[in-house]
């Protein structure tokens, strides 16, 4: 039996969980932060076959927000959720050329579970937004962890992540550094040096885990 599918949410958010403004990210120029997102969502655990692809699930508005030249996000199986989709999801001929379309998060997960048993090995599954899809994912037992980039600087936002993650948030605990680094597969700065800064914006990488 294949292992049950696990979901990891990944996002960057301000202290009050702001994630978006006017259909895009609230900030510009967090290049190293975006590079972290790309590395982590692409990286496959070393125990899996090297041909394994991770999947990223996103809502239609998040898909629209990604610059056309970067879509689909390469080296990952892109799954886009839109209520207007009528056909059943199918594996694209070229995952770097087209996304899988699904009509709901449930349908996307059912498709990915089936995929597990087929030709293309599937690695990790990330939910990359936006707020509606994060909200649906937070309601699922499959959602085990959240990779949060806590942006310390303030930005105007009109969309928020639907859970205020902080010490004491029910059902969630912040992972220790060693556990975080072990899971993401790279060194992550902590303590005073843990706060990164890119053109005046400060942020910190965190991992949160569901407490059962
Ligand atoms: N999570 C984190 N940590 N930071 C984010 O900026 C972020 N953004 C989204 C979801 N989770 C996130 C959704 N928005 C791209 C653009 C917007 C976007 C997600 C991804 C994008 O163009 N990504 C390319 C960029 C590579 C680069 O510039 O280095 C990619 O290949 O992933």
């Amino acid at each position: 039996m294949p292992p049950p599918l696990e979901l990891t949410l990944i996002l960057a958010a301000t202290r009050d969980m702001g994630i978006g403004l006017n259909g895009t990210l609230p900030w510009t120029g967090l290049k190293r932060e975006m590079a972290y997102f790309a590395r982590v969502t692409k990286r496959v655990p070393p125990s899996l076959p090297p041909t394994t692809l991770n999947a990223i699930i996103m809502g239609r508005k998040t898909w629209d927000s990604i610059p056309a030249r970067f879509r689909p996000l390469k080296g990952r199986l892109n799954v886009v959720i839109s209520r207007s989709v009528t056909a059943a999801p199918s594996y694209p001929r070229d995952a770097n050329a087209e996304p899988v379309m699904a009509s709901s998060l449930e349908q996307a997960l059912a498709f990915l579970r089936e995929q597990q048993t087929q030709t293309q090995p599937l690695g990790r599954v990330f939910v990359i937004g936006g707020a509606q899809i994060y909200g649906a994912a937070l309601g699922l037992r499959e959602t085990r962890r959240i990779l949060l980039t806590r942006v310390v600087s303030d930005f105007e936002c009109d969309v928020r992540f639907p859970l205020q993650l902080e010490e004491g948030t029910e059902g969630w605990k912040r992972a220790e550094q060693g556990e975080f680094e072990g899971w993401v597969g790279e060194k992550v700065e902590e303590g005073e040096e843990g706060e990164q800064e890119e053109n005046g914006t400060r942020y910190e990488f965190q991992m949160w885990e569901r407490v059962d």
Side-chain angles (χ1 to χ4, degrees):
M1 233 185 25
L5 185 144
E6 269 191 14
L7 292 178
T8 298
L9 276 47
I10 185 166
L11 64 138
T14 60
R15 279 173 298 188
D16 59 353
M17 304 312 287
I19 59 170
L21 178 68
N22 299 327
T24 183
L25 295 172
W27 41 80
T28 53
L30 298 191
K31 283 198 61 180
R32 281 183 281 114
E33 205 292 314
M34 187 57 89
Y36 164 85
F37 166 87
R39 279 195 313 280
V40 168
T41 55
K42 283 180 198 167
R43 187 176 290 123
V44 165
S47 59
L48 297 176
T51 57
T52 302
L53 270 192
N54 289 338
I56 54 176
I57 301 176
M58 72 194 91
R60 193 267 306 161
K61 292 178 191 171
T62 294
W63 170 262
D64 287 348
S65 80
I66 298 170
R69 65 185 180 284
F70 293 137
R71 291 181 336 216
L73 296 181
K74 61 177 161 20
R76 291 146 285 183
L77 179 64
N78 289 220
V79 181
V80 178
I81 296 171
S82 164
R83 277 187 256 268
S84 68
V85 165
T86 50
S90 65
Y91 201 92
R93 209 135 47 81
D94 178 359
N96 284 322
E98 48 178 321
V100 176
M101 300 297 302
S103 64
S104 66
L105 182 56
E106 306 295 347
Q107 192 185 49
L109 299 185
F111 168 77
L112 291 172
R113 279 191 201 96
E114 274 171 45
Q115 238 13 73
Q116 282 286 25
T117 65
Q118 307 291 321
T119 47
Q120 171 66 58
L122 180 68
R124 291 171 165 171
V125 182
F126 293 91
V127 173
I128 72 159
Q132 288 181 46
I133 306 300
Y134 288 138
L138 283 170
L140 298 178
R141 298 290 313 160
E142 283 90 339
T143 297
R144 302 311 307 165
R145 62 183 65 70
I146 301 176
L147 296 174
L148 169 67
T149 302
R150 170 79 60 180
V151 176
V152 182
S153 317
D154 279 324
F155 284 92
E156 186 192 356
C157 295
D158 61 11
V159 187
R160 263 162 248 287
F161 184 73
L163 175 69
Q164 181 69 46
L165 262 185
E166 57 203 5
E167 204 170 314
T169 296
E170 192 184 329
W172 292 90
K173 68 167 187 330
R174 190 172 164 186
E176 305 287 347
Q177 208 66 13
E179 202 187 347
F180 182 12
E181 292 181 350
W183 196 85
V184 294
E186 63 180 67
K187 177 110 185 76
V188 183
E189 297 302 331
E190 75 169 321
E192 294 289 83
E193 305 91 65
E195 225 160 77
Q196 317 276 310
E197 180 165 348
E198 271 186 286
N199 38 63
T201 299
R202 291 186 303 133
Y203 58 85
E204 181 188 28
F205 297 122
Q206 303 180 352
M207 180 164 85
W208 293 74
E209 293 179 306
R210 179 159 252 158
V211 187
D212 317 75

